Amino acid sequence: MFTTGSASRHAQQMPRPKPPKARGAPSTSSPATGPSQRPANPKLTHFISLPIGHHASLRASMTGFTSALLQGAPAVAGLDRTIVIPARRLHLTLGVMSLDQPGSARANAPPPTLGAARALLEALLPRVLQMLHGQRLRVDLERMDVLQPERGDASRAHVLFVGPVLGGEDGRRLRSVCEMVRGEFIASGLMVDDHRPLKLHCTVLNTTYRKPRPRGARQPFSYADILQSTAFRAIAATQGSGIGAPTA
């Protein structure tokens, strides 16, 4: 079922919501004091996820795919085995949290803590089981894309993910359960609300984990090269037959 995890690095890929700017609003700066200082956003520390790396068939499929990418010729620009997420750690991300951090509590609300997040997960379990009607789900991971490549350039990507197809009955039930859990965490003040629709994704490559860490800006990889690779063409030819796995 759902779990919480540390997000000290993972959360760097989850953009924070930007408050809307009021047009024509009076300035709060003055020659004497300068622009008013906004309090810094609390550090993102944890995330809510649905673990899927315990499914042997999924681990085998994803390990085969990433191994083929690493061994392929010509090489994928910027690809390195240190940015590959181990198959046992694969999960579908629902959102990120800032727990046990100064300034992370909402007004008139208790401070968000890891204990509170765990307690809420346990409290939601009966609702999850009721929504699933005691049945297991099988949803294929047939979508692949990258998150926010630099300047929209597919050759300068930092996060590659696969995602579930949510059009079938199991997919719709998965979405409903995940949206319920996410909504309850946002309403409780435990999860950061990015004011965006839920986008279930399973990270496969993340340049945050590159070792040794480059000085200065992170080194991207080329998603364009991945799409032209033999590894991608092979998995695309069998899409839906080996990449799917039960998700609950």
Side-chain angles (χ1 to χ4, degrees):
M1 282 298 177
F2 298 93
T3 186
T4 60
S6 174
S8 57
R9 289 186 175 181
H10 174 88
Q12 295 177 19
Q13 301 302 328
M14 306 293 289
R16 283 187 172 276
K18 295 182 179 180
K21 296 181 179 179
R23 296 183 180 273
S27 172
T28 57
S29 61
S30 67
T33 62
S36 60
Q37 298 296 319
R38 292 181 179 177
N41 287 324
K43 178 182 177 181
L44 300 177
T45 60
H46 295 77
F47 60 92
I48 292 288
S49 70
L50 179 59
I52 56 177
H54 55 289
H55 295 293
S57 60
L58 177 63
R59 289 200 307 271
S61 295
M62 296 310 300
T63 299
F65 172 61
T66 54
S67 296
L69 279 180
L70 290 167
Q71 298 167 9
V76 173
L79 181 63
D80 182 83
R81 65 178 60 257
T82 61
I83 71 173
V84 177
I85 304 299
R88 68 181 183 279
R89 290 174 48 199
L90 294 175
H91 57 268
L92 295 173
T93 304
L94 276 69
V96 293
M97 300 178 288
S98 178
L99 304 180
D100 300 300
Q101 297 293 304
S104 59
R106 298 187 306 187
N108 302 319
T113 64
L114 181 57
R118 288 174 172 168
L120 181 55
L121 273 182
E122 293 178 0
L124 293 176
L125 180 58
R127 289 178 61 183
V128 171
L129 296 177
Q130 182 181 26
M131 294 175 71
L132 294 177
H133 303 294
Q135 299 179 7
R136 297 172 65 85
L137 303 181
R138 182 180 181 88
V139 180
D140 290 335
L141 302 178
E142 294 186 354
R143 297 188 301 110
M144 179 179 291
D145 204 348
V146 290
L147 292 177
Q148 300 177 334
E150 295 179 13
R151 300 184 294 276
D153 185 351
S155 66
R156 301 189 61 81
H158 291 281
V159 175
L160 175 74
F161 72 90
V162 293
V165 176
L166 302 176
E169 180 179 351
D170 278 1
R172 289 190 293 270
R173 289 166 60 202
L174 173 63
R175 178 191 290 276
S176 296
V177 169
C178 291
E179 287 181 340
M180 182 276 291
V181 172
R182 181 172 179 262
E184 291 294 333
F185 268 80
I186 291 175
S188 69
L190 288 167
M191 183 178 290
V192 175
D193 187 359
D194 59 6
H195 303 286
R196 299 180 183 182
L198 173 64
K199 184 176 184 178
L200 288 175
H201 65 280
C202 173
T203 300
V204 178
L205 304 177
N206 190 336
T207 61
T208 298
Y209 300 106
R210 189 184 298 279
K211 294 180 181 179
R213 301 188 69 177
R215 293 183 178 181
R218 288 185 295 160
Q219 179 186 355
F221 62 84
S222 175
Y223 182 48
D225 285 358
I226 290 177
L227 294 179
Q228 296 298 319
S229 68
T230 302
F232 176 77
R233 290 198 297 269
I235 203 169
T238 59
Q239 188 178 49
S241 63
I243 197 171
T247 57

